[in-house]
Amino acid sequence: MMPRLGEKYDIKIETTSKSIAEYQTDEYFELDLPLAPAVMVGDEIVVEGSGIDEYEVEKAICRQLGMEPPEPPKKGLLGRLLGR
C-alpha cells in the first residue's frame, strides 16, 4: 500500500520496523510515538495499535498536501450486504 501511495502523491515514505520488545521499552514510550502498528502522516497519527485502512491513510495524505480527499471506495455486493 505505501509504495503505491508514494508513487501517487509527492511524498516521502519512511518505514520503521523494530521488534515487539523494542516497542515496549520505557525509552520508546518517552519518545511519545504511537503504539505499533501505526501510520503517521506528518505529525498526525492516522491509526495506531490496529489494522490500517488504506482509504484513511490516503485521506490523511491529501489533508497534509492541502488536496481534496479521494472518493471513498465503492462497496461490492458482499460489502453492501455486510455493511462494510
Side-chain angles (χ1 to χ4, degrees):
M1 161 182 34
M2 296 311 224
R4 183 175 66 252
L5 291 175
E7 291 173 6
K8 185 173 181 180
Y9 301 100
D10 185 24
I11 57 171
K12 177 185 170 193
I13 305 277
E14 183 179 325
T15 304
T16 303
S17 179
K18 299 180 182 214
S19 69
I20 292 173
E22 288 179 277
Y23 284 116
Q24 296 175 341
T25 64
D26 290 336
E27 292 81 15
Y28 182 81
F29 286 109
E30 289 173 6
L31 295 174
D32 200 30
L33 293 172
L35 299 174
V39 172
M40 292 181 71
V41 176
D43 291 334
E44 176 185 354
I45 299 171
V46 179
V47 64
E48 81 177 304
S50 66
I52 299 165
D53 181 281
E54 182 175 344
Y55 178 65
E56 293 301 317
V57 174
E58 192 168 1
K59 283 192 330 186
I61 290 170
C62 289
R63 277 193 303 273
Q64 183 76 20
L65 296 174
M67 300 170 61
E68 289 293 317
E71 291 293 320
K74 294 185 179 184
K75 294 182 181 181
L77 178 62
L78 189 57
R80 287 190 301 252
L81 289 174
L82 298 176
R84 295 182 186 168

